[in-house]
Amino acid sequence: MKNAAVLSNQVIADAYTGCYDLIFRYIYNKNNRERAEDLTQDTFLRLLSYRDMFYLNIDTIKYFVYTIARNLVTDYLRRYYKEQEINAYLLETVRTSVDDVENKLYAKELSWLEQEKLSRLPSQRRKVYAMNRFQYKTAFEISTELHISPRTVENHLLISRKEIRTYIKQSI
């Protein structure tokens, strides 16, 4: 039994010295240098967990080491790309929520500027604009309610929209 343990340690040591460079280059083709070094070490650490199987010759172990390395690289790349996908999703979610907050602040500022300029308009023009903009009344409904012609309502709307638009553009 003790003899088998010594033999398996020797087989692993021989595999390490004989295959390290080959395994490193195999992994390095798929990763950066630091990651390749880590995965190569992990390959031989994983090989240690199969110590009881090493009654086989060095060629068989060489193929086994390649299989371990391939599986570790595959697992690593799968995790890496999944992590990238999750990070991209989180970044997009954060960006969207930041955009939503910015859009709400921008809309609030525009609304405030609109209200400020609206308060400075002449009384009749202010009423016509407010009824159209906030109460969603048509020019005909406003003209009926205020007892003025629809053409006058349209004229008030045209002038008030132009003044408010100009004020907002100057303020931004």
Side-chain angles (χ1 to χ4, degrees):
M1 186 82 152
K2 185 176 179 182
N3 203 12
V6 170
L7 183 61
S8 68
N9 285 341
Q10 185 60 44
V11 170
I12 292 173
D14 291 345
Y16 183 81
T17 56
C19 299
Y20 184 88
D21 290 334
L22 296 171
I23 297 298
F24 174 77
R25 279 185 264 143
Y26 170 75
I27 295 173
Y28 185 57
N29 284 332
K30 299 170 183 355
N31 289 288
N32 64 28
R33 182 170 190 78
E34 293 80 24
R35 179 60 52 203
E37 289 171 355
D38 289 345
L39 289 173
T40 303
Q41 289 296 324
D42 289 347
T43 299
F44 288 101
L45 286 173
R46 177 88 44 100
L47 183 64
L48 285 172
S49 67
Y50 295 105
R51 166 180 301 174
D52 296 336
M53 292 177 45
F54 298 125
Y55 51 85
L56 306 171
N57 64 20
I58 190 69
D59 290 332
T60 307
I61 290 181
K62 182 174 152 184
Y63 295 119
F64 190 63
V65 169
Y66 271 107
T67 301
I68 292 171
R70 184 191 69 225
N71 291 341
L72 285 173
V73 169
T74 302
D75 290 346
Y76 168 74
L77 291 174
R78 190 177 295 132
R79 261 192 327 273
Y80 175 79
Y81 288 118
K82 189 64 170 176
E83 185 178 299
Q84 294 302 313
E85 183 181 319
I86 290 169
N87 287 341
Y89 171 76
L90 290 175
L91 183 63
E92 185 61 33
T93 302
V94 168
R95 187 177 298 138
T96 301
S97 64
V98 168
D99 288 347
D100 287 346
V101 170
E102 287 177 358
N103 287 339
K104 287 178 184 176
L105 288 173
Y106 188 66
K108 190 179 264 189
E109 182 179 352
L110 289 176
S111 177
W112 182 81
L113 289 170
E114 178 186 31
Q115 291 295 330
E116 184 177 322
K117 180 59 181 174
L118 182 61
S119 68
R120 297 181 189 167
L121 291 177
S123 152
Q124 184 77 7
R125 198 170 293 153
R126 182 175 47 240
K127 284 180 195 173
V128 169
Y129 183 86
M131 291 172 80
N132 178 260
R133 172 82 168 89
F134 303 115
Q135 297 173 9
Y136 307 107
K137 293 188 177 184
T138 64
F140 180 75
E141 292 170 332
I142 295 169
S143 70
T144 304
E145 190 171 320
L146 296 179
H147 306 295
I148 55 177
S149 77
R151 190 74 184 134
T152 303
V153 170
E154 290 172 5
N155 191 34
H156 280 309
L157 285 173
L158 181 72
I159 293 170
S160 61
R161 286 178 184 152
K162 185 177 180 182
E163 287 179 12
I164 290 174
R165 194 176 306 122
T166 302
Y167 178 74
I168 289 174
K169 282 182 182 177
Q170 289 172 350
S171 299
I172 295 177

Short mmCIF file of all heavy atoms in Angstrom, two decimals, residues 69-96:
data_model
loop_
_atom_site.label_atom_id
_atom_site.label_comp_id
_atom_site.label_asym_id
_atom_site.label_seq_id
_atom_site.Cartn_x
_atom_site.Cartn_y
_atom_site.Cartn_z
N ALA A 69 -7.22 19.68 -18.09
CA ALA A 69 -6.96 21.07 -18.51
C ALA A 69 -8.08 21.59 -19.40
O ALA A 69 -8.55 22.72 -19.22
CB ALA A 69 -5.62 21.15 -19.23
N ARG A 70 -8.50 20.78 -20.36
CA ARG A 70 -9.59 21.20 -21.26
C ARG A 70 -10.86 21.50 -20.47
O ARG A 70 -11.53 22.51 -20.70
CB ARG A 70 -9.86 20.11 -22.30
CG ARG A 70 -10.91 20.54 -23.32
CD ARG A 70 -11.38 19.42 -24.19
NE ARG A 70 -12.14 18.49 -23.36
CZ ARG A 70 -12.02 17.16 -23.39
NH1 ARG A 70 -11.17 16.60 -24.21
NH2 ARG A 70 -12.75 16.40 -22.61
N ASN A 71 -11.20 20.64 -19.52
CA ASN A 71 -12.41 20.85 -18.71
C ASN A 71 -12.29 22.10 -17.84
O ASN A 71 -13.27 22.85 -17.70
CB ASN A 71 -12.69 19.62 -17.84
CG ASN A 71 -13.12 18.43 -18.66
OD1 ASN A 71 -13.55 18.57 -19.80
ND2 ASN A 71 -13.01 17.25 -18.08
N LEU A 72 -11.11 22.33 -17.28
CA LEU A 72 -10.93 23.54 -16.46
C LEU A 72 -11.05 24.81 -17.31
O LEU A 72 -11.67 25.79 -16.89
CB LEU A 72 -9.57 23.51 -15.75
CG LEU A 72 -9.46 22.58 -14.55
CD1 LEU A 72 -8.02 22.53 -14.05
CD2 LEU A 72 -10.39 23.03 -13.43
N VAL A 73 -10.46 24.79 -18.49
CA VAL A 73 -10.55 25.96 -19.38
C VAL A 73 -11.99 26.19 -19.80
O VAL A 73 -12.50 27.32 -19.79
CB VAL A 73 -9.63 25.78 -20.62
CG1 VAL A 73 -9.92 26.84 -21.67
CG2 VAL A 73 -8.18 25.84 -20.20
N THR A 74 -12.69 25.11 -20.14
CA THR A 74 -14.10 25.23 -20.54
C THR A 74 -14.94 25.80 -19.41
O THR A 74 -15.75 26.70 -19.61
CB THR A 74 -14.65 23.86 -20.98
OG1 THR A 74 -13.85 23.37 -22.05
CG2 THR A 74 -16.10 23.96 -21.41
N ASP A 75 -14.73 25.28 -18.21
CA ASP A 75 -15.47 25.78 -17.05
C ASP A 75 -15.16 27.25 -16.78
O ASP A 75 -16.05 28.05 -16.51
CB ASP A 75 -15.16 24.96 -15.79
CG ASP A 75 -15.73 23.56 -15.85
OD1 ASP A 75 -16.59 23.30 -16.72
OD2 ASP A 75 -15.32 22.72 -15.02
N TYR A 76 -13.87 27.58 -16.87
CA TYR A 76 -13.48 28.96 -16.64
C TYR A 76 -14.12 29.90 -17.67
O TYR A 76 -14.68 30.94 -17.32
CB TYR A 76 -11.95 29.13 -16.68
CG TYR A 76 -11.55 30.56 -16.72
CD1 TYR A 76 -11.64 31.37 -15.59
CD2 TYR A 76 -11.15 31.17 -17.91
CE1 TYR A 76 -11.31 32.71 -15.64
CE2 TYR A 76 -10.82 32.50 -17.97
CZ TYR A 76 -10.91 33.27 -16.82
OH TYR A 76 -10.61 34.60 -16.89
N LEU A 77 -14.03 29.53 -18.94
CA LEU A 77 -14.59 30.39 -19.99
C LEU A 77 -16.11 30.51 -19.86
O LEU A 77 -16.68 31.58 -20.08
CB LEU A 77 -14.20 29.87 -21.38
CG LEU A 77 -12.73 30.00 -21.73
CD1 LEU A 77 -12.42 29.34 -23.06
CD2 LEU A 77 -12.30 31.46 -21.74
N ARG A 78 -16.75 29.42 -19.52
CA ARG A 78 -18.20 29.45 -19.32
C ARG A 78 -18.55 30.43 -18.19
O ARG A 78 -19.45 31.26 -18.33
CB ARG A 78 -18.71 28.05 -18.99
CG ARG A 78 -20.21 27.94 -19.01
CD ARG A 78 -20.68 26.51 -18.76
NE ARG A 78 -20.24 25.64 -19.85
CZ ARG A 78 -19.64 24.46 -19.67
NH1 ARG A 78 -19.42 23.99 -18.47
NH2 ARG A 78 -19.29 23.73 -20.69
N ARG A 79 -17.83 30.33 -17.07
CA ARG A 79 -18.06 31.24 -15.95
C ARG A 79 -17.75 32.68 -16.34
O ARG A 79 -18.48 33.61 -16.00
CB ARG A 79 -17.18 30.85 -14.76
CG ARG A 79 -17.85 30.05 -13.71
CD ARG A 79 -17.03 29.93 -12.42
NE ARG A 79 -15.60 29.91 -12.57
CZ ARG A 79 -14.85 28.83 -12.79
NH1 ARG A 79 -15.42 27.66 -12.90
NH2 ARG A 79 -13.55 28.93 -12.88
N TYR A 80 -16.64 32.87 -17.06
CA TYR A 80 -16.22 34.21 -17.46
C TYR A 80 -17.29 34.88 -18.33
O TYR A 80 -17.67 36.02 -18.09
CB TYR A 80 -14.89 34.13 -18.22
CG TYR A 80 -14.44 35.45 -18.78
CD1 TYR A 80 -13.84 36.40 -17.96
CD2 TYR A 80 -14.63 35.75 -20.12
CE1 TYR A 80 -13.42 37.61 -18.47
CE2 TYR A 80 -14.22 36.97 -20.64
CZ TYR A 80 -13.62 37.89 -19.81
OH TYR A 80 -13.22 39.10 -20.32
N TYR A 81 -17.78 34.16 -19.35
CA TYR A 81 -18.76 34.76 -20.25
C TYR A 81 -20.11 34.96 -19.56
O TYR A 81 -20.81 35.93 -19.84
CB TYR A 81 -18.92 33.94 -21.53
CG TYR A 81 -17.70 34.11 -22.43
CD1 TYR A 81 -16.91 33.02 -22.76
CD2 TYR A 81 -17.34 35.35 -22.91
CE1 TYR A 81 -15.78 33.18 -23.56
CE2 TYR A 81 -16.23 35.52 -23.70
CZ TYR A 81 -15.45 34.43 -24.02
OH TYR A 81 -14.34 34.60 -24.80
N LYS A 82 -20.45 34.08 -18.66
CA LYS A 82 -21.69 34.26 -17.90
C LYS A 82 -21.57 35.50 -17.02
O LYS A 82 -22.50 36.30 -16.90
CB LYS A 82 -21.96 33.01 -17.05
CG LYS A 82 -23.31 33.02 -16.41
CD LYS A 82 -24.39 32.99 -17.47
CE LYS A 82 -25.73 32.75 -16.86
NZ LYS A 82 -26.77 32.83 -17.86
N GLU A 83 -20.41 35.67 -16.39
CA GLU A 83 -20.16 36.85 -15.56
C GLU A 83 -20.22 38.12 -16.40
O GLU A 83 -20.79 39.13 -15.96
CB GLU A 83 -18.79 36.71 -14.90
CG GLU A 83 -18.45 37.78 -13.91
CD GLU A 83 -17.10 37.53 -13.27
OE1 GLU A 83 -16.94 36.48 -12.62
OE2 GLU A 83 -16.21 38.39 -13.43
N GLN A 84 -19.65 38.08 -17.61
CA GLN A 84 -19.70 39.24 -18.49
C GLN A 84 -21.14 39.57 -18.87
O GLN A 84 -21.53 40.74 -18.92
CB GLN A 84 -18.87 38.99 -19.76
CG GLN A 84 -17.40 38.85 -19.52
CD GLN A 84 -16.81 40.06 -18.85
OE1 GLN A 84 -17.05 41.19 -19.24
NE2 GLN A 84 -16.04 39.84 -17.80
N GLU A 85 -21.91 38.53 -19.11
CA GLU A 85 -23.33 38.73 -19.46
C GLU A 85 -24.09 39.36 -18.30
O GLU A 85 -24.87 40.29 -18.49
CB GLU A 85 -23.92 37.37 -19.82
CG GLU A 85 -25.36 37.41 -20.27
CD GLU A 85 -25.86 36.00 -20.58
OE1 GLU A 85 -25.11 35.22 -21.19
OE2 GLU A 85 -27.01 35.71 -20.22
N ILE A 86 -23.83 38.87 -17.10
CA ILE A 86 -24.50 39.42 -15.91
C ILE A 86 -24.06 40.86 -15.68
O ILE A 86 -24.90 41.73 -15.41
CB ILE A 86 -24.21 38.54 -14.68
CG1 ILE A 86 -24.93 37.21 -14.82
CG2 ILE A 86 -24.60 39.24 -13.39
CD1 ILE A 86 -24.51 36.16 -13.80
N ASN A 87 -22.77 41.13 -15.82
CA ASN A 87 -22.28 42.50 -15.63
C ASN A 87 -22.87 43.45 -16.67
O ASN A 87 -23.23 44.58 -16.34
CB ASN A 87 -20.75 42.53 -15.71
CG ASN A 87 -20.10 41.93 -14.49
OD1 ASN A 87 -20.72 41.79 -13.43
ND2 ASN A 87 -18.85 41.54 -14.62
N ALA A 88 -22.99 42.99 -17.91
CA ALA A 88 -23.58 43.83 -18.95
C ALA A 88 -25.05 44.12 -18.63
O ALA A 88 -25.53 45.24 -18.79
CB ALA A 88 -23.46 43.16 -20.31
N TYR A 89 -25.76 43.09 -18.16
CA TYR A 89 -27.16 43.27 -17.78
C TYR A 89 -27.28 44.27 -16.63
O TYR A 89 -28.12 45.17 -16.67
CB TYR A 89 -27.78 41.93 -17.39
CG TYR A 89 -29.16 42.06 -16.79
CD1 TYR A 89 -30.26 42.32 -17.61
CD2 TYR A 89 -29.35 41.98 -15.42
CE1 TYR A 89 -31.52 42.47 -17.07
CE2 TYR A 89 -30.61 42.13 -14.87
CZ TYR A 89 -31.68 42.38 -15.69
OH TYR A 89 -32.93 42.54 -15.15
N LEU A 90 -26.44 44.10 -15.61
CA LEU A 90 -26.50 45.01 -14.46
C LEU A 90 -26.15 46.43 -14.87
O LEU A 90 -26.79 47.38 -14.44
CB LEU A 90 -25.55 44.53 -13.35
CG LEU A 90 -25.97 43.26 -12.64
CD1 LEU A 90 -24.89 42.82 -11.66
CD2 LEU A 90 -27.29 43.44 -11.91
N LEU A 91 -25.14 46.57 -15.71
CA LEU A 91 -24.75 47.89 -16.18
C LEU A 91 -25.87 48.55 -16.96
O LEU A 91 -26.17 49.72 -16.78
CB LEU A 91 -23.49 47.79 -17.03
CG LEU A 91 -22.91 49.11 -17.54
CD1 LEU A 91 -22.48 49.99 -16.38
CD2 LEU A 91 -21.73 48.84 -18.46
N GLU A 92 -26.52 47.79 -17.82
CA GLU A 92 -27.64 48.31 -18.60
C GLU A 92 -28.80 48.69 -17.70
O GLU A 92 -29.44 49.71 -17.90
CB GLU A 92 -28.08 47.30 -19.67
CG GLU A 92 -29.15 47.82 -20.58
CD GLU A 92 -28.72 49.04 -21.38
OE1 GLU A 92 -27.54 49.16 -21.73
OE2 GLU A 92 -29.58 49.89 -21.64
N THR A 93 -29.05 47.86 -16.69
CA THR A 93 -30.14 48.15 -15.75
C THR A 93 -29.85 49.43 -14.98
O THR A 93 -30.72 50.28 -14.83
CB THR A 93 -30.32 46.97 -14.77
OG1 THR A 93 -30.58 45.79 -15.52
CG2 THR A 93 -31.46 47.23 -13.80
N VAL A 94 -28.61 49.56 -14.51
CA VAL A 94 -28.24 50.77 -13.77
C VAL A 94 -28.31 51.97 -14.69
O VAL A 94 -28.84 53.02 -14.32
CB VAL A 94 -26.81 50.62 -13.17
CG1 VAL A 94 -26.29 51.94 -12.68
CG2 VAL A 94 -26.84 49.60 -12.05
N ARG A 95 -27.78 51.81 -15.91
CA ARG A 95 -27.81 52.91 -16.87
C ARG A 95 -29.24 53.33 -17.17
O ARG A 95 -29.56 54.51 -17.23
CB ARG A 95 -27.09 52.51 -18.15
CG ARG A 95 -26.94 53.66 -19.12
CD ARG A 95 -26.18 53.27 -20.37
NE ARG A 95 -24.84 52.86 -20.04
CZ ARG A 95 -24.23 51.81 -20.58
NH1 ARG A 95 -24.82 51.09 -21.49
NH2 ARG A 95 -23.01 51.49 -20.21
N THR A 96 -30.13 52.36 -17.32
CA THR A 96 -31.54 52.65 -17.60
C THR A 96 -32.17 53.38 -16.44
O THR A 96 -32.89 54.36 -16.62
CB THR A 96 -32.30 51.35 -17.90
OG1 THR A 96 -31.69 50.72 -19.02
CG2 THR A 96 -33.75 51.62 -18.21
#
